[in-house]
Amino acid sequence: MVDMFLERVLVENNWDQDELNTEREITRILENRILMLFFAASDSSKCQEFVPILNDFFKRLKDPAYIEYPKLLALIYISMDQTEEQQEKFLKELHKKTLFLPFEDPYRLELRTMFKIAELPTVVVLRPDCSVLSPNAVQEICEYGCDCFSNWQESAGLVERSFMLNEEFDNLNLRTVTDPVRRLKYKTEDDKRKKRWWKPWTKGLGQDEEEEPARAWDSRRKEAETKGRWRLI
């Protein structure tokens, strides 16, 4: 998927319309993601009706206000507008995390031919390897909403890594996924040894057990001194 746009400029649909034109930037935003190519035009009434549905679908999968871990999903608007002004007007209605190709880029028309777009709107869904997962997901999105993504994710074999281990666990040799939990619940032998590393001479004795030999020694010493005094008398 990344290869499809490495030689192109992608623009973010934010206030500044930031351009992504380096391999690193494009790879960061597209790699290992399911990609939706949204073919539409501002003068199409069907496209206008579909935009609010698509925006709601996309923000519920990408916006932190709706979901804790944004999904591995990207949306690119492929404009079929007749003028740049029409494209700009349509972009104002699209979600701010949408990407788009500049109007002057002829690659827009190449993509239309490549995916044999016959009607608008069309949402082509691609796997991370660029293979087509759905040639047109418009009706699917309208009927099933966000549940579509679970189906796409399963079909694409996409694995999400939505968490990272804390740096303090970097040096641990974790044998299983549940090993940290097991260590908290059940003290392992390693944990016991680490706990008493600073006093190896105690051999795991408790405080009372450590003090008992000392008390016994004092008692025997006093007893010996007493017996010695009696013998002198």
Side-chain angles (χ1 to χ4, degrees), residues 6-193:
L6 279 183
E7 303 297 325
R8 305 294 167 179
V9 174
L10 287 175
V11 186
E12 295 181 312
N13 189 34
N14 54 27
W15 180 264
D16 296 322
Q17 293 197 342
D18 298 316
E19 292 187 355
L20 308 176
N21 54 15
T22 67
E23 181 177 346
R24 181 178 179 180
E25 290 173 330
I26 293 177
T27 299
R28 174 184 59 82
I29 206 164
L30 294 184
E31 190 175 39
N32 194 39
R33 281 167 169 75
I34 288 175
L35 177 61
M36 296 191 299
L37 300 181
F38 177 40
F39 294 84
S42 61
D43 59 356
S44 167
S45 58
K46 290 184 178 180
C47 293
Q48 293 286 349
E49 293 172 2
F50 179 65
V51 165
I53 299 172
L54 179 63
N55 282 342
D56 184 70
F57 171 84
F58 191 62
K59 73 181 179 182
R60 289 182 182 276
L61 292 170
K62 295 292 291 184
D63 197 328
Y66 291 87
I67 189 166
E68 185 176 2
Y69 299 109
K71 298 299 183 180
L72 298 177
L73 181 69
L75 173 63
I76 300 181
Y77 171 52
I78 311 298
S79 171
M80 295 293 106
D81 295 301
Q82 299 299 315
T83 66
E84 187 172 3
E85 288 73 20
Q86 288 179 332
Q87 175 174 303
E88 289 296 327
K89 180 181 178 181
F90 198 65
L91 284 169
K92 292 179 181 178
E93 301 179 30
L94 290 173
H95 194 278
K96 298 307 177 185
K97 289 185 179 294
T98 303
L99 304 171
F100 66 94
L101 289 166
F103 183 79
E104 63 273 9
D105 191 341
Y107 194 49
R108 298 183 299 110
L109 302 179
E110 293 179 32
L111 288 171
R112 179 175 188 171
T113 302
M114 184 187 306
F115 293 105
K116 301 177 181 179
I117 305 302
E119 60 178 337
L120 300 178
T122 291
V123 176
V124 178
V125 182
L126 302 178
R127 297 182 179 89
D129 63 359
C130 293
S131 61
V132 177
L133 199 155
S134 175
N136 191 359
V138 169
Q139 188 168 353
E140 188 178 357
I141 292 172
C142 291
E143 291 184 6
Y144 302 109
C146 294
D147 291 339
C148 291
F149 184 81
S150 299
N151 298 333
W152 299 344
Q153 186 178 22
E154 183 178 355
S155 176
L158 187 65
V159 177
E160 288 196 63
R161 294 173 175 84
S162 55
F163 68 92
M164 293 180 62
L165 286 175
N166 192 290
E167 290 181 0
E168 63 181 299
F169 292 106
D170 283 349
N171 296 324
L172 288 182
N173 181 20
L174 303 181
R175 293 176 176 82
T176 65
V177 175
T178 59
D179 191 65
V181 178
R182 179 179 61 80
R183 286 180 176 273
L184 291 176
K185 187 172 182 180
Y186 306 104
K187 294 293 184 181
T188 63
E189 289 302 317
D190 288 343
D191 296 330
K192 292 176 182 177
R193 285 196 291 270

